[in-house]
Amino acid sequence: MATPQRDELPVAGLTTGQLARLLGVSPTTLRSWDRRYGFGPASRADGRHRRWSPHDVAMAQEMCRLTATGTPPAEAARTARLRARGADGTDGPGEWSPVPSDRTDGTAPRAGSGLPLGRVRSECRGLARAAVRLDAEEVRELLRRAVAQHGPAVAWEEVMSPALQAVGRKWQSSGAEGEQYVEVEHLLSWHISAALRHYYLDAARPRRAASGVPVLLSCLPGEQHTLPLDVLTAVLGDEGLAVLMLGGSVPADALITAVRRVASLAVVLWAQTGDTADLALARRVAGARWGVRGARTRTPVLLCGPGWHPVTDDAEPSELTHVTSLHDAVRTLTGLGRERPSR
């Protein structure tokens, strides 16, 4: 449906929901801007419902444009108000229009993220926009909704991962200026991790109660990239498997001790780079025995992450399994779960 031009906007103004759809943000974001920065409509319809006038709409559009380029929200709000009043030498609100003059399809401009996203889900674009604005509340809500609607695997592959990769590409291609995207990447990574962990702890709890033998997940010494293991944790929870997550950069002796103490279904070792992919340690883990004396056994070990090269020829096939994708890992682990009864 075509978006009305400035002169065609309702005399009473737009509701918060209508403006949110026009700008491609959530109503929560608009209310947050109003609460934090005093950036909202001044008029109310019938003394109750707040309405955004054409002047307010112009300011909100400028706010979106500025935050999408990395301007801090507080500074963006101040600048948008100044520009709407013409106080900084630019045209005042009489020259503004919700639809730029170079658009002929009657549609409104969407608030861009400034990131090279390509063809992605609309949820991914919304997530990128919120992350660039450093809008933590919106990022949290979009992630919660994506995981709840699509499940952790699809949410990761089609919403979360493309947004993270776009931030990384922007960071690498921007030279010294790319440092401004470090905070975007950190914000997005932290909230993605939190969303996936909450999903496992909350949504997957009823299914997890029926399982007994956990999958032990660990990063190799020096490896801090835990986010892929958070993804695997959430997906395994969906499959009814319990998980014991050791986290990042686990010392070798601590890892061996944990394997010997826990009767795990399998051990997953993550290595993001070749520098942390320690094949000798992986074989030590695979050789660690657990159980009562006289009936000890070993636990299958999965090597996950781009840091691992295919297992060398002198490694026994039953000793280590190199998996190359999330789906491969889940398929292998669920297969082991069907073979081994719960304790």
PDB file of all heavy atoms in Angstrom, residues 17-42:
ATOM      1  N   GLY A  17       1.902   3.331  16.143  1.00  0.00           N
ATOM      2  CA  GLY A  17       1.967   2.114  15.347  1.00  0.00           C
ATOM      3  C   GLY A  17       2.097   2.404  13.860  1.00  0.00           C
ATOM      4  O   GLY A  17       2.858   1.738  13.148  1.00  0.00           O
ATOM      5  N   GLN A  18       1.343   3.391  13.374  1.00  0.00           N
ATOM      6  CA  GLN A  18       1.425   3.750  11.962  1.00  0.00           C
ATOM      7  C   GLN A  18       2.801   4.289  11.604  1.00  0.00           C
ATOM      8  O   GLN A  18       3.367   3.953  10.555  1.00  0.00           O
ATOM      9  CB  GLN A  18       0.343   4.784  11.631  1.00  0.00           C
ATOM     10  CG  GLN A  18      -1.069   4.228  11.643  1.00  0.00           C
ATOM     11  CD  GLN A  18      -2.123   5.318  11.524  1.00  0.00           C
ATOM     12  OE1 GLN A  18      -1.919   6.455  11.977  1.00  0.00           O
ATOM     13  NE2 GLN A  18      -3.274   4.974  10.944  1.00  0.00           N
ATOM     14  N   LEU A  19       3.367   5.130  12.460  1.00  0.00           N
ATOM     15  CA  LEU A  19       4.690   5.680  12.180  1.00  0.00           C
ATOM     16  C   LEU A  19       5.756   4.590  12.246  1.00  0.00           C
ATOM     17  O   LEU A  19       6.704   4.592  11.450  1.00  0.00           O
ATOM     18  CB  LEU A  19       5.015   6.790  13.187  1.00  0.00           C
ATOM     19  CG  LEU A  19       6.382   7.453  12.990  1.00  0.00           C
ATOM     20  CD1 LEU A  19       6.491   8.074  11.602  1.00  0.00           C
ATOM     21  CD2 LEU A  19       6.634   8.503  14.060  1.00  0.00           C
ATOM     22  N   ALA A  20       5.599   3.651  13.167  1.00  0.00           N
ATOM     23  CA  ALA A  20       6.562   2.554  13.260  1.00  0.00           C
ATOM     24  C   ALA A  20       6.602   1.756  11.961  1.00  0.00           C
ATOM     25  O   ALA A  20       7.679   1.403  11.465  1.00  0.00           O
ATOM     26  CB  ALA A  20       6.207   1.647  14.441  1.00  0.00           C
ATOM     27  N   ARG A  21       5.429   1.476  11.389  1.00  0.00           N
ATOM     28  CA  ARG A  21       5.383   0.757  10.115  1.00  0.00           C
ATOM     29  C   ARG A  21       5.979   1.589   8.995  1.00  0.00           C
ATOM     30  O   ARG A  21       6.637   1.065   8.093  1.00  0.00           O
ATOM     31  CB  ARG A  21       3.943   0.364   9.789  1.00  0.00           C
ATOM     32  CG  ARG A  21       3.387  -0.733  10.685  1.00  0.00           C
ATOM     33  CD  ARG A  21       2.067  -1.254  10.177  1.00  0.00           C
ATOM     34  NE  ARG A  21       1.004  -0.259  10.257  1.00  0.00           N
ATOM     35  CZ  ARG A  21       0.247  -0.072  11.324  1.00  0.00           C
ATOM     36  NH1 ARG A  21       0.450  -0.802  12.412  1.00  0.00           N
ATOM     37  NH2 ARG A  21      -0.703   0.841  11.330  1.00  0.00           N
ATOM     38  N   LEU A  22       5.754   2.892   9.023  1.00  0.00           N
ATOM     39  CA  LEU A  22       6.293   3.782   7.995  1.00  0.00           C
ATOM     40  C   LEU A  22       7.817   3.780   8.010  1.00  0.00           C
ATOM     41  O   LEU A  22       8.466   3.757   6.952  1.00  0.00           O
ATOM     42  CB  LEU A  22       5.778   5.203   8.232  1.00  0.00           C
ATOM     43  CG  LEU A  22       6.331   6.315   7.327  1.00  0.00           C
ATOM     44  CD1 LEU A  22       5.803   6.137   5.906  1.00  0.00           C
ATOM     45  CD2 LEU A  22       5.957   7.681   7.862  1.00  0.00           C
ATOM     46  N   LEU A  23       8.417   3.773   9.204  1.00  0.00           N
ATOM     47  CA  LEU A  23       9.862   3.887   9.329  1.00  0.00           C
ATOM     48  C   LEU A  23      10.575   2.545   9.345  1.00  0.00           C
ATOM     49  O   LEU A  23      11.795   2.486   9.180  1.00  0.00           O
ATOM     50  CB  LEU A  23      10.211   4.642  10.620  1.00  0.00           C
ATOM     51  CG  LEU A  23       9.711   6.082  10.725  1.00  0.00           C
ATOM     52  CD1 LEU A  23      10.066   6.661  12.080  1.00  0.00           C
ATOM     53  CD2 LEU A  23      10.287   6.934   9.611  1.00  0.00           C
ATOM     54  N   GLY A  24       9.837   1.465   9.565  1.00  0.00           N
ATOM     55  CA  GLY A  24      10.481   0.166   9.646  1.00  0.00           C
ATOM     56  C   GLY A  24      11.114  -0.115  10.986  1.00  0.00           C
ATOM     57  O   GLY A  24      12.087  -0.867  11.084  1.00  0.00           O
ATOM     58  N   VAL A  25      10.589   0.495  12.047  1.00  0.00           N
ATOM     59  CA  VAL A  25      11.057   0.225  13.400  1.00  0.00           C
ATOM     60  C   VAL A  25       9.873  -0.258  14.218  1.00  0.00           C
ATOM     61  O   VAL A  25       8.749  -0.310  13.725  1.00  0.00           O
ATOM     62  CB  VAL A  25      11.690   1.483  14.047  1.00  0.00           C
ATOM     63  CG1 VAL A  25      12.858   1.978  13.221  1.00  0.00           C
ATOM     64  CG2 VAL A  25      10.652   2.592  14.212  1.00  0.00           C
ATOM     65  N   SER A  26      10.103  -0.607  15.459  1.00  0.00           N
ATOM     66  CA  SER A  26       9.005  -1.075  16.299  1.00  0.00           C
ATOM     67  C   SER A  26       8.426   0.081  17.113  1.00  0.00           C
ATOM     68  O   SER A  26       9.122   1.065  17.394  1.00  0.00           O
ATOM     69  CB  SER A  26       9.482  -2.178  17.245  1.00  0.00           C
ATOM     70  OG  SER A  26      10.217  -1.618  18.307  1.00  0.00           O
ATOM     71  N   PRO A  27       7.162  -0.020  17.505  1.00  0.00           N
ATOM     72  CA  PRO A  27       6.590   0.998  18.392  1.00  0.00           C
ATOM     73  C   PRO A  27       7.385   1.144  19.686  1.00  0.00           C
ATOM     74  O   PRO A  27       7.475   2.233  20.240  1.00  0.00           O
ATOM     75  CB  PRO A  27       5.166   0.476  18.658  1.00  0.00           C
ATOM     76  CG  PRO A  27       4.844  -0.363  17.457  1.00  0.00           C
ATOM     77  CD  PRO A  27       6.151  -1.018  17.082  1.00  0.00           C
ATOM     78  N   THR A  28       7.975   0.034  20.158  1.00  0.00           N
ATOM     79  CA  THR A  28       8.783   0.094  21.373  1.00  0.00           C
ATOM     80  C   THR A  28       9.952   1.050  21.218  1.00  0.00           C
ATOM     81  O   THR A  28      10.308   1.788  22.141  1.00  0.00           O
ATOM     82  CB  THR A  28       9.301  -1.304  21.731  1.00  0.00           C
ATOM     83  OG1 THR A  28       8.187  -2.180  21.928  1.00  0.00           O
ATOM     84  CG2 THR A  28      10.138  -1.272  23.001  1.00  0.00           C
ATOM     85  N   THR A  29      10.568   1.047  20.024  1.00  0.00           N
ATOM     86  CA  THR A  29      11.697   1.943  19.775  1.00  0.00           C
ATOM     87  C   THR A  29      11.259   3.393  19.848  1.00  0.00           C
ATOM     88  O   THR A  29      11.928   4.235  20.457  1.00  0.00           O
ATOM     89  CB  THR A  29      12.311   1.648  18.395  1.00  0.00           C
ATOM     90  OG1 THR A  29      12.879   0.340  18.418  1.00  0.00           O
ATOM     91  CG2 THR A  29      13.399   2.660  18.043  1.00  0.00           C
ATOM     92  N   LEU A  30      10.135   3.734  19.231  1.00  0.00           N
ATOM     93  CA  LEU A  30       9.641   5.107  19.252  1.00  0.00           C
ATOM     94  C   LEU A  30       9.321   5.551  20.673  1.00  0.00           C
ATOM     95  O   LEU A  30       9.635   6.680  21.077  1.00  0.00           O
ATOM     96  CB  LEU A  30       8.401   5.228  18.367  1.00  0.00           C
ATOM     97  CG  LEU A  30       8.639   5.022  16.859  1.00  0.00           C
ATOM     98  CD1 LEU A  30       7.316   5.075  16.110  1.00  0.00           C
ATOM     99  CD2 LEU A  30       9.602   6.062  16.305  1.00  0.00           C
ATOM    100  N   ARG A  31       8.702   4.675  21.442  1.00  0.00           N
ATOM    101  CA  ARG A  31       8.375   5.025  22.834  1.00  0.00           C
ATOM    102  C   ARG A  31       9.658   5.187  23.655  1.00  0.00           C
ATOM    103  O   ARG A  31       9.734   6.029  24.551  1.00  0.00           O
ATOM    104  CB  ARG A  31       7.470   3.957  23.443  1.00  0.00           C
ATOM    105  CG  ARG A  31       6.095   3.851  22.758  1.00  0.00           C
ATOM    106  CD  ARG A  31       5.174   2.912  23.502  1.00  0.00           C
ATOM    107  NE  ARG A  31       3.927   2.730  22.791  1.00  0.00           N
ATOM    108  CZ  ARG A  31       3.634   1.653  22.052  1.00  0.00           C
ATOM    109  NH1 ARG A  31       4.517   0.665  21.958  1.00  0.00           N
ATOM    110  NH2 ARG A  31       2.490   1.552  21.415  1.00  0.00           N
ATOM    111  N   SER A  32      10.672   4.350  23.344  1.00  0.00           N
ATOM    112  CA  SER A  32      11.943   4.465  24.052  1.00  0.00           C
ATOM    113  C   SER A  32      12.616   5.801  23.753  1.00  0.00           C
ATOM    114  O   SER A  32      13.162   6.445  24.653  1.00  0.00           O
ATOM    115  CB  SER A  32      12.861   3.309  23.636  1.00  0.00           C
ATOM    116  OG  SER A  32      14.142   3.445  24.199  1.00  0.00           O
ATOM    117  N   TRP A  33      12.575   6.232  22.488  1.00  0.00           N
ATOM    118  CA  TRP A  33      13.143   7.536  22.130  1.00  0.00           C
ATOM    119  C   TRP A  33      12.438   8.660  22.878  1.00  0.00           C
ATOM    120  O   TRP A  33      13.066   9.601  23.347  1.00  0.00           O
ATOM    121  CB  TRP A  33      13.019   7.763  20.634  1.00  0.00           C
ATOM    122  CG  TRP A  33      13.933   6.917  19.812  1.00  0.00           C
ATOM    123  CD1 TRP A  33      14.960   6.128  20.265  1.00  0.00           C
ATOM    124  CD2 TRP A  33      13.916   6.771  18.393  1.00  0.00           C
ATOM    125  NE1 TRP A  33      15.570   5.497  19.205  1.00  0.00           N
ATOM    126  CE2 TRP A  33      14.960   5.867  18.054  1.00  0.00           C
ATOM    127  CE3 TRP A  33      13.125   7.294  17.369  1.00  0.00           C
ATOM    128  CZ2 TRP A  33      15.225   5.494  16.730  1.00  0.00           C
ATOM    129  CZ3 TRP A  33      13.389   6.927  16.063  1.00  0.00           C
ATOM    130  CH2 TRP A  33      14.425   6.040  15.750  1.00  0.00           C
ATOM    131  N   ASP A  34      11.123   8.542  22.989  1.00  0.00           N
ATOM    132  CA  ASP A  34      10.348   9.563  23.691  1.00  0.00           C
ATOM    133  C   ASP A  34      10.734   9.587  25.167  1.00  0.00           C
ATOM    134  O   ASP A  34      10.955  10.654  25.759  1.00  0.00           O
ATOM    135  CB  ASP A  34       8.862   9.267  23.519  1.00  0.00           C
ATOM    136  CG  ASP A  34       7.973  10.384  24.060  1.00  0.00           C
ATOM    137  OD1 ASP A  34       8.501  11.468  24.383  1.00  0.00           O
ATOM    138  OD2 ASP A  34       6.758  10.176  24.155  1.00  0.00           O
ATOM    139  N   ARG A  35      10.839   8.407  25.762  1.00  0.00           N
ATOM    140  CA  ARG A  35      11.126   8.318  27.197  1.00  0.00           C
ATOM    141  C   ARG A  35      12.544   8.781  27.520  1.00  0.00           C
ATOM    142  O   ARG A  35      12.768   9.473  28.513  1.00  0.00           O
ATOM    143  CB  ARG A  35      10.920   6.876  27.662  1.00  0.00           C
ATOM    144  CG  ARG A  35      11.102   6.675  29.154  1.00  0.00           C
ATOM    145  CD  ARG A  35      10.753   5.248  29.560  1.00  0.00           C
ATOM    146  NE  ARG A  35      11.640   4.260  28.972  1.00  0.00           N
ATOM    147  CZ  ARG A  35      11.310   3.446  27.980  1.00  0.00           C
ATOM    148  NH1 ARG A  35      10.099   3.500  27.456  1.00  0.00           N
ATOM    149  NH2 ARG A  35      12.171   2.568  27.497  1.00  0.00           N
ATOM    150  N   ARG A  36      13.514   8.409  26.671  1.00  0.00           N
ATOM    151  CA  ARG A  36      14.919   8.697  26.976  1.00  0.00           C
ATOM    152  C   ARG A  36      15.347  10.091  26.533  1.00  0.00           C
ATOM    153  O   ARG A  36      16.162  10.738  27.200  1.00  0.00           O
ATOM    154  CB  ARG A  36      15.814   7.662  26.289  1.00  0.00           C
ATOM    155  CG  ARG A  36      15.633   6.251  26.801  1.00  0.00           C
ATOM    156  CD  ARG A  36      16.511   5.280  26.027  1.00  0.00           C
ATOM    157  NE  ARG A  36      16.302   3.909  26.455  1.00  0.00           N
ATOM    158  CZ  ARG A  36      16.896   2.853  25.893  1.00  0.00           C
ATOM    159  NH1 ARG A  36      17.731   3.023  24.901  1.00  0.00           N
ATOM    160  NH2 ARG A  36      16.657   1.636  26.332  1.00  0.00           N
ATOM    161  N   TYR A  37      14.837  10.534  25.383  1.00  0.00           N
ATOM    162  CA  TYR A  37      15.355  11.765  24.795  1.00  0.00           C
ATOM    163  C   TYR A  37      14.292  12.851  24.615  1.00  0.00           C
ATOM    164  O   TYR A  37      14.568  13.883  24.023  1.00  0.00           O
ATOM    165  CB  TYR A  37      16.002  11.463  23.433  1.00  0.00           C
ATOM    166  CG  TYR A  37      16.894  10.261  23.449  1.00  0.00           C
ATOM    167  CD1 TYR A  37      16.604   9.134  22.698  1.00  0.00           C
ATOM    168  CD2 TYR A  37      18.036  10.227  24.260  1.00  0.00           C
ATOM    169  CE1 TYR A  37      17.416   8.019  22.726  1.00  0.00           C
ATOM    170  CE2 TYR A  37      18.851   9.108  24.298  1.00  0.00           C
ATOM    171  CZ  TYR A  37      18.531   8.008  23.522  1.00  0.00           C
ATOM    172  OH  TYR A  37      19.337   6.901  23.558  1.00  0.00           O
ATOM    173  N   GLY A  38      13.078  12.622  25.137  1.00  0.00           N
ATOM    174  CA  GLY A  38      12.017  13.593  24.958  1.00  0.00           C
ATOM    175  C   GLY A  38      11.673  13.798  23.496  1.00  0.00           C
ATOM    176  O   GLY A  38      11.304  14.890  23.074  1.00  0.00           O
ATOM    177  N   PHE A  39      11.777  12.724  22.726  1.00  0.00           N
ATOM    178  CA  PHE A  39      11.628  12.792  21.276  1.00  0.00           C
ATOM    179  C   PHE A  39      10.311  12.124  20.898  1.00  0.00           C
ATOM    180  O   PHE A  39      10.252  10.934  20.612  1.00  0.00           O
ATOM    181  CB  PHE A  39      12.809  12.074  20.610  1.00  0.00           C
ATOM    182  CG  PHE A  39      12.904  12.283  19.125  1.00  0.00           C
ATOM    183  CD1 PHE A  39      13.611  13.348  18.618  1.00  0.00           C
ATOM    184  CD2 PHE A  39      12.285  11.411  18.242  1.00  0.00           C
ATOM    185  CE1 PHE A  39      13.715  13.542  17.257  1.00  0.00           C
ATOM    186  CE2 PHE A  39      12.365  11.599  16.891  1.00  0.00           C
ATOM    187  CZ  PHE A  39      13.082  12.669  16.392  1.00  0.00           C
ATOM    188  N   GLY A  40       9.233  12.899  20.923  1.00  0.00           N
ATOM    189  CA  GLY A  40       7.943  12.301  20.622  1.00  0.00           C
ATOM    190  C   GLY A  40       6.935  13.345  20.219  1.00  0.00           C
ATOM    191  O   GLY A  40       7.231  14.546  20.177  1.00  0.00           O
ATOM    192  N   PRO A  41       5.725  12.912  19.895  1.00  0.00           N
ATOM    193  CA  PRO A  41       4.684  13.840  19.452  1.00  0.00           C
ATOM    194  C   PRO A  41       4.193  14.719  20.595  1.00  0.00           C
ATOM    195  O   PRO A  41       4.108  14.280  21.744  1.00  0.00           O
ATOM    196  CB  PRO A  41       3.577  12.913  18.951  1.00  0.00           C
ATOM    197  CG  PRO A  41       3.754  11.665  19.751  1.00  0.00           C
ATOM    198  CD  PRO A  41       5.246  11.520  19.953  1.00  0.00           C
ATOM    199  N   ALA A  42       3.887  15.957  20.253  1.00  0.00           N
ATOM    200  CA  ALA A  42       3.437  16.901  21.276  1.00  0.00           C
ATOM    201  C   ALA A  42       1.921  16.913  21.427  1.00  0.00           C
ATOM    202  O   ALA A  42       1.401  17.317  22.460  1.00  0.00           O
ATOM    203  CB  ALA A  42       3.935  18.307  20.943  1.00  0.00           C
TER     204      ALA A  42
END
